[in-house]
Amino acid sequence: MKEEITVKDLAGLDKKYESDPRSAVLRHALSTSTFENVFTSLDHKEDEDFSFSIDLKMLPVSDQKRSGRCWIFSASTILREIIAKKLDIKGQFEISQNYISYFDKLEKANYAMEGVIDLALKGEKPGDRKIDHLLHEPISDGGQWDMYSDIVKKYGVVPKAVFPETAQSNATAKSTQLLSSLVRQFARDVYATEKKATRNDFEKIKTSYMEKVYNLLTDCFGKVPTSFTYSYTDNKGAFHRLVNMTPLSFFDTFVGKEIDEYVSLIDAPTSDKKVYQTYSVELVGNVVGGKPVTHLNVPYEELEKNIIAQLKAGYPVWFGSDVSYYGDRQGGVWDTTAFDYKSAFGCDIAFDKADMLTFRESAMNHAMVICGVDLTKDGKPTRWKIENSWGKENGKDGFYLMSEDFFRLFVYQAAIRKDFLTEKEKEALKTKPVLLAPWDPFGTLAD
């Protein structure tokens, strides 16, 4: 028999609660103040010094507004810096995140509907785990580095001035909800067909739904440019005009094959994942026929060394982490010592990284850019400089500090140029990817 909570149990708990004089103080404080205000600790404030021995000069930060497109904004920052150096551009410059978002959502709709078709033809029924997982959130703002790479290689990029944000791209909840509803409605129609239906029958149904998806995206995000002219002034004050550019010609001219130099490294210290092995995740992606989302698992120490080597060479680093803990959004600090919950509640919520992943305490949920690090004389990192996409009003003009303890515990992924990989890592990239279940923690999308 399962034991239920009784009135006697509650009375005993309440007696213990009332016997602690701190309870009333804490209850009163929390009734009028936020967790952050009550539990902020200044005991280690001296560690929050925004100075770094390696500090890359970056263009001004971007702002994803009320959307979950952090992975697009941060990856666009990596490409922005590549393009800006080649153009020797002066002042504000951004890649159009709206342009990439448009095609990401278009491709995600197709990817999800193709997933439904595949599962239906394999005999997966509504309510079965894979179809249920796919339809839980068929369209979202989130993504991964390889998903970004697939989009820009297929559709190119444009400057933000050419295709700016709209009210709907800045606040994506409603349009994303409608797109997901269309995919679920498509799934309903697929499963309503006769048992002898073929892939061709399902593809005909999909065609009508893709038309609805296209119309909705164009209404919300705008009509994407097929060609454009872009003018800018360089750092020497010279004026330039690029004419008759297409999104692909702009991308090929200023980025091109350089994007293929980046690979996803992860720190996955769980017992089910070997180091120096590649992994892919079933039903996670956006472009049908594109490169599957692929990660190479390496020891954390190597991941950190690769990141530092890339920074030393002058290249910022796209990375994914969990930012739902120990974060001071306004002050711009992530630090495991920033908030003291143990003294207040007596709850020492302590997991190692492997257990956090195994027991669903944590997973990668936000992507940003590492643009600096402070190293000791022996080369050990003490804190990291982060460019976020939450606007310049947050943090220090949009830049954040991440302590080494936080970094080690909550950073899961980084896009590293192949130049900075060890020979052992380069060989490991050749391993056949192990296919992970769709619900694996490393199937989580950054948003």
Side-chain angles (χ1 to χ4, degrees), residues 282-332:
E282 188 178 7
L283 299 177
V284 172
N286 52 359
V287 178
V288 172
K291 178 182 180 294
V293 171
T294 305
H295 308 299
L296 172 62
N297 190 27
V298 299
Y300 174 79
E301 290 74 18
E302 287 195 24
L303 177 66
E304 195 169 72
K305 286 179 182 178
N306 290 330
I307 292 171
I308 293 171
Q310 189 158 308
L311 291 172
K312 285 181 175 179
Y315 295 101
V317 180
W318 182 96
F319 80 112
S321 68
D322 184 351
V323 298
S324 55
Y325 299 89
Y326 308 113
D328 178 1
R329 184 182 183 119
Q330 187 173 1

Side-chain angles (χ1 to χ4, degrees), residues 3 50 75 88 119 125 127 159 165-166 187 190 211 240 258 284 305 369 418 431 434 445:
E3 191 168 324
F50 270 77
D88 191 27
L119 291 173
K125 300 291 191 298
E165 298 287 327
T166 70
V190 164
E211 181 180 347
H240 302 267
E258 190 164 352
V284 172
K305 286 179 182 178
V369 173
K418 295 174 186 175
T431 60
V434 173
L445 302 181

Side-chain angles (χ1 to χ4, degrees), residues 87-88 229-242:
L87 294 176
D88 191 27
T229 296
Y230 179 63
S231 302
Y232 69 96
T233 302
D234 67 22
N235 279 305
K236 298 180 181 66
F239 177 81
H240 302 267
R241 180 179 286 119
L242 304 175

Side-chain angles (χ1 to χ4, degrees), residues 382-396:
T382 61
R383 54 182 173 267
W384 303 80
K385 185 178 181 182
I386 309 300
E387 179 174 341
N388 205 351
S389 55
W390 291 348
K392 64 180 181 180
E393 293 78 16
N394 294 295
K396 304 294 184 183

Side-chain angles (χ1 to χ4, degrees), residues 74 93 172:
S74 51
F93 173 70
T172 54

